[in-house]
Amino acid sequence: MNNLKSEAQFAVCIQNKDYPASLELHKIYVVLTDEESIKDGDLRIVDESGEDYLYPADYFVIIELPKVVQGSVLTIA
């Protein structure tokens, strides 16, 4: 978890048409650093299963969260 905290970014889901069981619209998700997936137009997201998978980057908007909110989101991720 410490590694996740130091490297985590966050994104809001704005599209889930191909993954309705895995992604909830308007929910904040943890984004893991994956340079190769970014080059391919994807993001590595910790989804509803609690595992990380690749999803189209245009399904999300990257956001910055206050530290206290980051801690809260990471607690449930």
Side-chain angles (χ1 to χ4, degrees), residues 2 7 13 16 27 37 39 42 44 46 48 61 68-69:
N2 288 337
E7 296 180 19
C13 179
N16 71 344
K27 183 175 178 177
S37 67
K39 291 177 188 175
D42 296 319
R44 185 165 296 282
V46 178
E48 295 305 307
V61 173
V68 66
V69 177

Side-chain angles (χ1 to χ4, degrees), residues 23-41:
L23 300 172
E24 291 183 27
L25 284 176
H26 316 298
K27 183 175 178 177
I28 298 171
Y29 287 94
V30 175
V31 181
L32 302 180
T33 303
D34 184 336
E35 296 300 323
E36 289 301 313
S37 67
I38 292 169
K39 291 177 188 175
D40 293 334

Side-chain angles (χ1 to χ4, degrees), residues 7-26:
E7 296 180 19
Q9 287 187 305
F10 303 91
V12 174
C13 179
I14 59 169
Q15 175 60 264
N16 71 344
K17 70 176 182 166
D18 296 324
Y19 308 98
S22 301
L23 300 172
E24 291 183 27
L25 284 176
H26 316 298

